[in-house]
Amino acid sequence: MANTAKDKWVYDFGAGKTDGSAEMRNLLGGKGANLAEMASLDLPVPPGFTITTEVCTHYYGHEHSYPESLKTQVETSLKRLEKEVGATFGDAKNPLLVSVRSGARVSMPGMMDTVLNLGLNDDTVKGLEEQSGDTRFAWDSYRRFIQMYGDVVLGVDHHKFETIIDAHKAIKNISEDVDVTAEGWKSIVASYKELVENEIGRAFPMDPHEQLWGAISAVFESWDLLRARRYRRINDIPDDWGTAVNVQTMVFGNMGEDCATGVCFTRDPSNGEKFFYGEFLINAQGEDVVAGIRTPQQLTIRLREKEGNTLPSMEEAMPKAFKELCDVREKLEAHYREMQDIEFTVQKGTLYMLQTRSGKRTAAAALKIAIDMVEEGLISKDEAVMRVDPGVLDQLLHPMIDPKAAKTSIGKGLPASPGAAYGRICFNADDTERWAEEGKSVILVRIETSPEDIHGMHAAKAILTTRGGMTSHAAVVARGMGRACVAGAADLFVDYAEKTLKAGNEILKEGDYITVDGSSGHVYKGRVDMVEPDLSGDFDTLMEWADKVRRLGVRTNAETVTDIKAALEFGASGIGLARTEHMFFDAERIQNVREMIFAANEDERRKALDKLLPAQRADFSKMFALMQGMPVTVRLLDPPLHEFLPHGSGDIAAFAKAAGLSPDVVEIRLTLLKEANPMLGHRGCRLGISYPEIYEMQARAIFEGALAAGGNIYPEIMVPLVMIDKELEKLKAVIDDTAEKVFEEQGKRVDYMVGTMIELPRAAVTADEIAAHAEFFSFGTNDLTQTTMGLSRDDSGMFLPKYVEDGVLPQDPFVSLDQSGVGALMEIAAEKGRKARKGIKLGICGEHGGDPASIDFCERLQLDYVSCSPYRVPIARLAAAQAALRYKRKNKVVSLQSA
Amino acid sequence: MANTAKDKWVYDFGAGKTDGSAEMRNLLGGKGANLAEMASLDLPVPPGFTITTEVCTHYYGHEHSYPESLKTQVETSLKRLEKEVGATFGDAKNPLLVSVRSGARVSMPGMMDTVLNLGLNDDTVKGLEEQSGDTRFAWDSYRRFIQMYGDVVLGVDHHKFETIIDAHKAIKNISEDVDVTAEGWKSIVASYKELVENEIGRAFPMDPHEQLWGAISAVFESWDLLRARRYRRINDIPDDWGTAVNVQTMVFGNMGEDCATGVCFTRDPSNGEKFFYGEFLINAQGEDVVAGIRTPQQLTIRLREKEGNTLPSMEEAMPKAFKELCDVREKLEAHYREMQDIEFTVQKGTLYMLQTRSGKRTAAAALKIAIDMVEEGLISKDEAVMRVDPGVLDQLLHPMIDPKAAKTSIGKGLPASPGAAYGRICFNADDTERWAEEGKSVILVRIETSPEDIHGMHAAKAILTTRGGMTSHAAVVARGMGRACVAGAADLFVDYAEKTLKAGNEILKEGDYITVDGSSGHVYKGRVDMVEPDLSGDFDTLMEWADKVRRLGVRTNAETVTDIKAALEFGASGIGLARTEHMFFDAERIQNVREMIFAANEDERRKALDKLLPAQRADFSKMFALMQGMPVTVRLLDPPLHEFLPHGSGDIAAFAKAAGLSPDVVEIRLTLLKEANPMLGHRGCRLGISYPEIYEMQARAIFEGALAAGGNIYPEIMVPLVMIDKELEKLKAVIDDTAEKVFEEQGKRVDYMVGTMIELPRAAVTADEIAAHAEFFSFGTNDLTQTTMGLSRDDSGMFLPKYVEDGVLPQDPFVSLDQSGVGALMEIAAEKGRKARKGIKLGICGEHGGDPASIDFCERLQLDYVSCSPYRVPIARLAAAQAALRYKRKNKVVSLQSA
């Protein structure tokens, strides 16, 4: 690590003296660190200095005041700057002008404030006029400064400045800024100054030092703006990181036709091709490129030809500067070993580098660049694995909205299951299925979904709900099926009776088209164009490298043939959670399930179970046949029985008739089974304790199914919702007894394990006692999150989003594991479990099994595997590899330190 | 501790050699230990030996087989016995006869088996005939032996033996056993032997050794009988304690008119008076006293006169033996320093002691005896405090069913709130209130109660529900009010439409009388006589002694003036939980509460809150005025808002009209507020985060109320359901800001604290972070139990009773704290809380705060206080004192050991 003095608040950069380096990103921010790094690489960086992020922390920790020695240090650096550039701050002849920019550890584009041309006032503008020999340029620069400073530092609404320009143009009967003359800008400057004085009650500051401190404070203040806080929340950036402030000598791309400014990527960010990619504008300042007022020109001839641009490329217009820029490109890639996003300015033919940073890229580009760089010898395979954000793999696996397509958003919910789809609105599962059979594309729109909607969800192209969170029924099932889903779109209103979907004043009817983007959470009106996914060879290559380094097994949560096949294609090496109850909802079986529930006694119940046995056995047999040689964790019946019961008088009557019961009896029984808090009710292994014959039937179906499938079958039978060791002890006996019976009947055996989910806090803190009867634990982090935090996933939509937005919770705990709460209990359970049973197998099968941050935590706990929905398997494989590499590195550091 | 050899399975007692002592209760069982102790006191104990409880453990651990050396040891002891008594086992002239009795650590009356007169057979019966000189006696003894042995050891239904006697009596035309002649018994013995042979397929065993081992095995087997297992479950006796077996020389109280048998108490077990109390029968065996066939005679003249008994007392009939018995009484009380329950036999004028043990007594007697014994110098005040079971204090505080009254039980539920009452059945709260105003005694009968029933519960004499557990709404509120309550009487069926209460074939109508016993859970038909409570001076004395030794503070959960006054009378030293929402249900306020909930925005909400403020302030002011100088913990709004909303179309319409809303809007809003799992929903401090203005109003009401009450007011403001530190940080700021505003407005201040409930597992494991913002923690063990165990208290009635009965859970965790699960989290929280904030105040305010076992746990955690409903305050005071003494003693032992 670089040496940092305790009271050093300011770091210089530039040819003369560079204190910082790229490694000091935490202290100098991304921009500052990279400017220092470029300066030490002898790249042409306009000199300047960086005020550290620690000053920001101090600022917010001390009632918006600065460390004592800051002022002196800034003055010293300013003097150095004046000396190096040969210009003086506030000098009327040869003024030093600077930019003041924010720069946090990670880029927060557009979130925070910048002031350019600082140092200009009524005197120095004349010096600029003289130095540049261009009166119009000088006064244009001055008005830009007043406008920016007025907006950012003094809080004058920027529309008011624009109104003044508009008024001027109207009077002069001109339409473009380029048509404003030098005199025009002068008169606008006068109006600007008047505006500011009227708005803030005092004159625009003429003292460059006052200007500088105003700008510095404004940058620090902008760290706390609502938009910045929101951005950080969304991107998981801690509030206490703070921003640095970079003060840098101005260079001008707008001083004439031998000047230019541009942004470029060292490779194509869209597809990753090794190809210099960028745009520039002659005689323009940086903001003009971003603002999009003028059509930018291409960097290279090749790009110009490809885009059919008639304006000359930089390669043609400024060959010398272009050559220099190409050299810089090579130097930077060789140095950073990463695709760079570069900003540059050419001032009177001289190239200046203003910024370099890792370039953002599409998922496909990320893959290609990482793999190419390994081939180029720039990075290792491990580094390539670390380079690709697992989250973006989703882009490669699902259709996505065409970024170029026009679209009208009518609402936004949670991005519950990735992918996008359009189709006709349908409000119930039966019609959805029927329409789909007729060949229509259908979007199933429900307030919430329930297990009875499964067939409709399967038939739909996508699912939209207006209630529920990331682990609501709709979200979980949709992810499992690989269907796109937006959940909990609270600003949309479903009216089942009128069959309408209301979005503000917009009323959509059943049959109308909508487009649902499960990756962003957006809901659009009508049909929006899609881009189909394309899994390239790069994907396989990277996955292969990832698999070589990962330690965690990656299994899937699946029970249908379709899902299992998908998961195997995506590289799952086992099933971590097969939910037997999903098999109960089939139309032919549900009647038997309900008769089982309505049985008056054990005998009747056994009769109903006997009817269910063949179907369950067949399901298991199919599942095992697909999973030869791999472990399959089967969870015994988990949900409360009332979930299987008929709703509505029609259904009730139909069921009563078929079962030979009176509808009244059925109604009474339904009332008795109703629960105040079904999540905490008569479910999980409590059903097995109350009715051991249910688990006995399921165990029999598993063993008979396994024997029927033949070959290498490894069933792991999982007892859900265990709260105390005795439950598992009793139910393990039921399973073991059944196994022995089946093995004896058939004269052959299979190896199997019996284990439990750890999904209640009590199970976690008494894991040692439970481990006496469990050969494996699987962390059911959905329910463990609900109980640990006392948070119903179905109801949390009412307040959880605000919790995350206000920073009360760092993230939605159903999306990314709450490591300090739920994770603490997992740690206790893992430790106690291992202590009581050496080598106990530990896995996770909650939704978190597919979340990279949670997978990292699982690696730290040294779990044996994670299990996730089929479409998240590749993400989990990559995240597991990255976690293994991080853990290895950390351990290496630890062992070095302790050596 | 006494020295116990590893392989010593048999312990002798008797004048010749006594190995055991009273301290060895765990090894020898209660009976065996006391026989040994009496023997070493030189009391006339028939000699014998005890087979230890470890043999029982071995027996069940080794497939019902015995330790190798047991046989030899039993034979050795038998030889010793023969020598001491001068009789020989199986000797036809002078046979040794023994009794074989069970004896566990604690008495399990009637649960396990006994065999008397063992050693008799066709030969030895003649020896007995000769020795006693009484043929009829000898053959009566023999038939008793065959009958008992046949039943207990050989499994022959005892009714069949009785049928033989009945047949004999019918033939001989006699009606009483005493009229059966010697010859009669002989012929009955012959029939008995024939019966046994027919039933078991072999002859009744004649070998006394075979008889002995048969009886020993039968006693061990009886440990595992269903009735014994159930008894242990109910009385919290672990299965692995096992029973000992006592083999003792027979003495006969039925050998003639100079023989007798009796049971007595060293003091009156009904009122505790120091007065020798007991009954005896001349010429009878022990079982005859218990069987109640003959009217027993009184022990003393005084007792005979009091009872108006015409038969002579023992004092008169057997003055010598009586004198000896009085000596024994004094010796035993001086030795055991405790009221004893004694069994004795007089054989031909000689007194034998068969048993002594602590005598069961009423609550009043327990108090009086403990206090008298202190005055007599027998025990210390601390011992007196330890002597009284806190649970029985309930008997002293509530009316109880007259034990002598005739009654017909129609059902049984949970004993949810102690006390008994009779009244007319009423099915709704409004009518209950009206009837009560008309002077009727009313029992409110509901399927479940809700906050809207509060006024009816208050007006009722008792509450009966057919659903819900020990912490259901009905149970909690009833305990708080001191109303008797039976909850979850599942075999009763309420039909609101028909206004009937069905119990099997019995149909009771509205207005019919029932009697509810909240101490036992029984519901009786009609009016059953009551006994009113009477708090004697003994109660105050014991409480005073308890208060001197207890370390834990005892507060109360109360918010109404009535409850607070009751709690103060019972000795509460603060309020540990004032539930502000109970104040919201008042008819005048509920409209404002509902308008607050229906407010469209913060402004409207503030307007509604402004209307609530004066009422809340007045409530707090009254509460604080009563609680001068004592801490008052006020919990801010906790339940989900939908609990306050109108139900049913009538109520909805009324509310809508009053609020100026359309009923449709109200209906829609109601639907939106509905939650799948309200327990885990939008409640507790989540409401404060969503609508800080609610907590702001409440804080203002507290501070203004405190200032208005004047004097020494110590509000402790408690934020409920905190899951993460940030919640508390934010809400503490709201409270502190409000405090400063109020203090400034009024120019005066009060000291206050801000703290939180620890009622979520996440709060427990992150207690260090939360403690940064909390000045106190109060363990909300109701909700902590629900979340830790994933157990909804409202729904657990469906399976929890079976869990407890089957031994899956050791007890109902809502009644007595689940120490290894919930307790483990409390321990983590206490430790982390104290680490982060030295001296943080810790309390408990869940229902467990009034449960002695849970209070003991709180003492072990060194909490500062417990808080419970007013009527449990005395119980908590005594339990806290006992816990302190236990903890002190344990610490002493530890420090002695480590010294």
Side-chain angles (χ1 to χ4, degrees), chain A residues 145-435:
Chain A
F145 168 58
I146 297 173
Q147 187 168 347
M148 250 185 212
Y149 195 92
D151 173 17
V152 166
V153 183
L154 305 176
V156 179
D157 186 348
H158 67 97
H159 291 298
K160 295 191 175 164
F161 292 105
E162 276 148 26
T163 310
I164 290 175
I165 300 186
D166 288 345
H168 178 85
K169 289 197 281 200
I171 293 164
K172 299 290 179 187
N173 197 22
I174 51 179
S175 65
E176 300 297 330
D177 282 9
V178 285
D179 300 325
V180 179
T181 61
E183 285 313 308
W185 289 129
K186 274 188 193 172
S187 98
I188 285 170
V189 162
S191 301
Y192 272 14
K193 290 198 292 183
E194 204 180 331
L195 167 66
V196 168
E197 186 154 1
N198 285 336
E199 288 281 321
I200 68 166
R202 56 192 164 81
F204 187 87
M206 288 291 137
D207 174 8
H209 290 277
E210 185 186 343
Q211 291 173 359
L212 179 61
W213 284 104
I216 291 170
S217 292
V219 170
F220 284 136
E221 286 289 336
S222 70
W223 178 254
D224 205 35
L225 291 178
L226 186 62
R227 62 168 191 245
R229 289 206 312 266
R230 285 222 171 112
Y231 182 90
R232 288 199 292 274
R233 205 65 59 223
I234 292 163
N235 292 281
D236 285 336
I237 302 169
D239 284 342
D240 58 9
W241 276 7
T243 184
V245 177
N246 297 293
V247 178
Q248 190 176 21
T249 316
M250 281 300 301
V251 286
F252 293 95
N254 57 346
M255 245 189 208
E257 294 302 309
D258 55 352
C259 300
T261 187
V263 293
C264 50
F265 293 86
T266 56
R267 307 192 183 211
D268 188 332
S270 306
N271 57 27
E273 231 184 303
K274 190 174 181 182
F275 179 74
F276 204 11
Y277 182 96
E279 298 172 337
F280 82 115
L281 275 176
I282 288 182
N283 198 12
Q285 227 173 358
E287 71 212 73
D288 300 331
V289 184
V290 181
I293 301 165
R294 284 165 54 192
T295 307
Q297 295 159 248
Q298 305 303 331
L299 208 63
T300 61
I301 299 170
R302 177 176 152 184
L303 205 58
R304 176 177 63 68
E305 285 171 352
K306 192 174 158 205
E307 302 277 320
N309 198 326
T310 53
L311 295 167
S313 68
M314 185 177 177
E315 196 172 355
E316 294 155 308
M318 295 182 154
K320 183 174 152 281
F322 178 73
K323 178 72 189 30
E324 280 171 32
L325 190 61
C326 287
D327 290 346
V328 168
R329 174 194 175 212
E330 290 204 357
K331 254 193 188 170
L332 284 175
E333 273 218 345
H335 182 71
Y336 284 106
R337 306 181 309 135
E338 176 57 303
M339 189 266 266
Q340 295 294 299
D341 170 355
I342 297 169
E343 288 177 25
F344 67 91
T345 284
V346 179
Q347 179 175 308
K348 301 210 172 281
T350 307
L351 177 72
Y352 289 99
M353 299 307 304
L354 296 183
Q355 168 135 309
T356 188
R357 58 185 173 192
S358 267
K360 291 214 188 299
R361 65 207 80 177
T362 64
L367 272 178
K368 180 160 176 48
I369 292 171
I371 287 165
D372 283 354
M373 283 192 169
V374 172
E375 279 164 16
E376 292 162 26
L378 275 176
I379 62 175
S380 70
K381 286 177 185 172
D382 284 359
E383 281 174 299
V385 166
M386 292 302 293
R387 284 280 168 89
V388 179
D389 174 2
V392 305
L393 291 187
D394 257 353
Q395 288 182 25
L396 302 175
L397 306 176
H398 297 281
M400 51 186 285
I401 301 263
D402 186 337
K404 299 183 296 290
K407 48 198 177 286
T408 316
S409 175
I410 55 167
K412 191 166 181 299
L414 297 165
S417 179
Y422 57 75
R424 292 174 186 277
I425 295 171
C426 184
F427 294 105
N428 75 72
D430 292 339
D431 290 346
T432 300
E433 196 175 45
R434 198 161 44 73
W435 293 8

Side-chain angles (χ1 to χ4, degrees), chain A residues 680 686 727 762 792 803 818, chain B residues 680 727 762 790 792 803 818:
Chain A
L680 309 177
R686 293 161 194 178
E727 290 171 324
R762 195 189 191 284
S792 163
Y803 259 64
D818 160 41
Chain B
L680 309 176
E727 290 171 323
R762 194 188 193 286
S792 163
Y803 259 65
D818 161 40

